[in-house]
Amino acid sequence: DELINRSYEMADVAKSNEFLLKEKRNLFTNSALVISFIIILLVTILVGIGETRKTEKLRDVAMEVAKGNFDVRIDEIIKNRKNEVGDLARALDTMRTELKSLYFELNQKIREKTESLEIEKKGLVEAMAKNEAILSSIGEGVFVVNANKKITLFNKAAADLFGFSESEVLGKLYSEVLK
């Protein structure tokens, strides 16, 4: 009897050990799954943070370009990435380069046009001074009206003839002044 009881006890201990071993395996498996999930979650968060930082750097570059700073550089590591962030970085860099070129060309054209207008202005001022000198020196009364029939020139002889000073008649309708 005692031998049978011992056998049962040993069988119970073996079953108990087998149960404990299964529980340990389940606990280990579950722990491994939880740890794997946590590691995957942390890696995903770190990758996301890294991508966010790269995107923020690209945003900063875009803001500098918007301010007219075309010499700002994009990190080569970001440009060489084989993902959407790399595509965006390369596109932004191409845009920056094109804008820099267009900006330079536009400024060059503005400088050339400004110089041309200054030369024309100088010529017009000289021509106006010459015409005014000629009209002022004529002994006859001369006045000029524009398309709106307003007096734009009234020489000294005209002032003496009509009894008005130049400042009194300039900009007024000639029909109001010379009735």
Side-chain angles (χ1 to χ4, degrees):
D1 258 350
E2 201 174 303
L3 193 55
I4 292 177
N5 282 339
R6 279 246 204 228
S7 291
Y8 283 130
E9 284 177 14
M10 289 189 70
D12 286 340
V13 168
K15 283 182 185 178
S16 193
N17 283 342
E18 190 176 311
F19 176 76
L20 288 175
L21 187 59
K22 282 183 183 179
E23 286 300 312
K24 280 183 180 179
R25 282 187 198 140
N26 285 341
L27 182 62
F28 178 75
T29 302
N30 290 339
S31 296
L33 287 173
V34 168
I35 290 170
S36 296
F37 176 75
I38 290 171
I39 290 172
I40 290 170
L41 182 62
L42 288 174
V43 168
T44 303
I45 290 170
L46 291 175
V47 167
I49 289 171
E51 292 301 308
T52 299
R53 285 189 182 135
K54 289 172 181 70
T55 305
E56 288 171 348
K57 285 181 182 179
L58 292 178
R59 180 203 59 211
D60 294 344
V61 167
M63 294 302 288
E64 284 297 312
V65 169
K67 292 177 188 173
N69 180 5
F70 302 113
D71 294 323
V72 67
R73 290 291 194 207
I74 298 173
D75 190 344
E76 290 297 321
I77 294 171
I78 297 173
K79 283 195 315 190
N80 292 331
R81 293 186 57 104
K82 304 290 186 216
N83 62 10
E84 295 84 3
V85 174
D87 293 342
L88 179 61
R90 287 185 294 280
L92 180 60
D93 196 48
T94 300
M95 181 185 72
R96 178 195 61 81
T97 303
E98 288 296 318
L99 283 173
K100 182 178 182 177
S101 175
L102 290 172
Y103 185 78
F104 176 79
E105 290 174 22
L106 182 61
N107 276 338
Q108 184 63 32
K109 287 180 181 180
I110 289 171
R111 274 192 296 279
E112 290 169 3
K113 189 64 175 176
T114 301
E115 289 171 6
S116 171
L117 288 172
E118 287 294 327
I119 291 169
E120 284 182 39
K121 179 182 173 185
K122 184 179 177 185
L124 288 172
V125 166
E126 289 172 358
M128 284 178 61
K130 181 179 176 183
N131 289 341
E132 204 166 310
I134 291 170
L135 288 173
S136 295
S137 66
I138 293 177
E140 303 293 320
V142 177
F143 66 95
V144 177
V145 295
N146 64 15
N148 297 327
K149 300 181 182 177
K150 291 186 177 183
I151 299 173
T152 59
L153 180 94
F154 202 74
N155 72 354
K156 181 167 177 11
D160 292 342
L161 180 66
F162 294 106
F164 298 109
S165 70
E166 183 181 21
S167 62
E168 290 177 293
V169 297
L170 287 181
K172 293 188 178 172
L173 289 172
Y174 82 93
S175 61
E176 292 175 5
V177 176
L178 307 173
K179 296 179 186 180

